[in-house]
Amino acid sequence: MEPKNTVAATLLDEPKRIHMAIDVKLPELGDGIESGDVLELLVSEGDTVTKDQSLLELETDKATMMVPSPAAGKVAKILVSVGETVPIGGLILQLEAAGAAAPPPVEAPAKPAGSSTAEEKPAPPEKQAASAPMQQESQPAEKKNQPVAADPKPPVAQSPAPAAAPVAQVHIDDESDSIAAGPAVRRFAREVGVDLSRVTGSGEGGRITREDVLRAVRESSAAQAAPQVRPAANITTSSVPIASPVGGNKVLARPGDPGQDDYGPVRVERLSKIRKTIATQMLRSWSTVPRVTNFDDADVTDLEAFRNSSKDDYAAEGIKLTTMPFLIKAVATALRHHPTMNAMLDMEHEQIIYRDYVNVGIAIDTDRGLVVPNIRHADASSVPDIAKALAELAARVRGGEFGVNELRGGTFTISNLGAIGGTYSTPIVNVPEVAILLVGRTRKLPVVMEDDSIRARLMMPLSLSYDHRLVDGGTAARFLNDVIAYLEAPSRLLLAIN
């Protein structure tokens, strides 16, 4: 009986050694972040992952990020689902640590001849003939993968798992690791039905951009467009072919899931965490800030002439010179002369906080909503440096590869409506900041010059909204006049004359 007791003791300790589970929790993501929404699960139960491999894509405030694995191992159990809100420190999944594989088969102890135990109790006679061949086939697998059980079930239930699981695992790893594309681009590709493995990236290092996905959609639509119009009954709820102004059909992917209300078909989409954050911030600004907006125009004819004459030289150094870096520099320099426009109003403690740093936030339109990262110390940066920083920042934001800290610490915001179209607007102040400048599309207007002649000049529309609790109309007007003066004399910006 002693050998049997030894085996039993080994079996009791075996699960502790085999199932060395590692609880993977949502790590700290930054100050003030308490939770995140799961956008996509990048692994499945049974997958083998390496240390720092991305486990899931998470959305928090205005940032999307990947949550890496803290260790290598096998995914034992996934504890969250897509769309679920996970608090900081909440369990995401469990891993079986690497090296915690099943032990070698336990050798059965020698037994006296003719002895019989409960484990060797023969099956009923009517089942012996049917189960004998299957026992012979399944017994090696049982010994290799499982410890000896005290009361084994029929061998039919112990048949090996299908061999398709490793194939699925390889597919997931390839999609997650080998395709050079950010989370936002991957999501956009899924929404429009584009297989990223068939897309050639035009970004740095072959990285796939949003424009590459759009090009793939256009090419696919052109290849599949048919001359005849489909019957309405064949139109799916996920896409609708519409007539293009230049001829042919274009398939448009529509957001949300199909549904029905009292009047007809609808599409329902879950409110994302980014959109909830934007809604909360806009309501806070609208309900607490008495906003006033000043409108004016800047004559940027000379600035545009200088930019066009210099853009090739900057392009040779890898810098795309647009009007935006000049505007950022003009605003940052003017903020130095008007500290109230760069301040923060603290009503709770009844004080005004004048900030001695200038971080200009840039509102960037993405497929998931408006994101406002900022360029740090823009007043101390040159126009070429701002141009580089702006290009890198926009690429990271649109690729979903920016940090939460890049969205914080802004002192003033610029929104470029002109990139899309339009002239004037009344932007909402990005609290706790006290002002925001919206720039419209530059256009030619007839202007009366000092000699009373009328000339066509390039005019940039500007809309300055400000918190009237702190900023008076005269302060706002003087600040906007300074911004216009810098734009109309670009050499002052290049020489960084403050």
Side-chain angles (χ1 to χ4, degrees), residues 338-345 351-357 411 470:
H338 303 274
T340 302
M341 304 296 294
N342 199 52
M344 180 175 68
L345 184 62
Q351 60 186 8
I352 302 172
I353 301 173
Y354 295 97
R355 290 172 285 198
D356 287 334
Y357 56 91
T411 62
L470 180 61

Side-chain angles (χ1 to χ4, degrees), residues 239-259:
S239 62
V240 177
I242 63 172
S244 171
V246 295
N249 290 335
K250 180 180 180 181
V251 179
L252 295 180
R254 296 187 296 171
D257 298 322

Side-chain angles (χ1 to χ4, degrees), residues 366-437:
T366 72
D367 59 336
R368 299 196 59 76
L370 197 65
V371 179
V372 189
N374 61 80
I375 297 178
R376 305 292 174 93
H377 308 295
D379 59 321
S381 302
S382 65
V383 171
D385 290 338
I386 293 176
K388 286 182 181 178
L390 181 61
E392 294 172 358
L393 193 63
R396 289 202 308 274
V397 168
R398 293 196 172 100
E401 300 173 350
F402 61 97
V404 178
N405 289 335
E406 293 181 273
L407 307 178
R408 295 174 174 165
T411 62
F412 189 96
T413 297
I414 298 176
S415 180
N416 185 9
L417 181 65
I420 302 173
T423 50
Y424 304 101
S425 183
T426 54
I428 293 183
V429 176
N430 187 19
V431 290
E433 299 169 11
V434 297
I436 179 174
L437 179 67

Side-chain angles (χ1 to χ4, degrees), residues 5 38 47 143 160 203 246 300 340 380 391 397 488:
N5 291 339
V38 179
D47 288 355
K143 286 186 177 182
V246 295
V300 293
T340 302
V397 168
E488 293 181 346

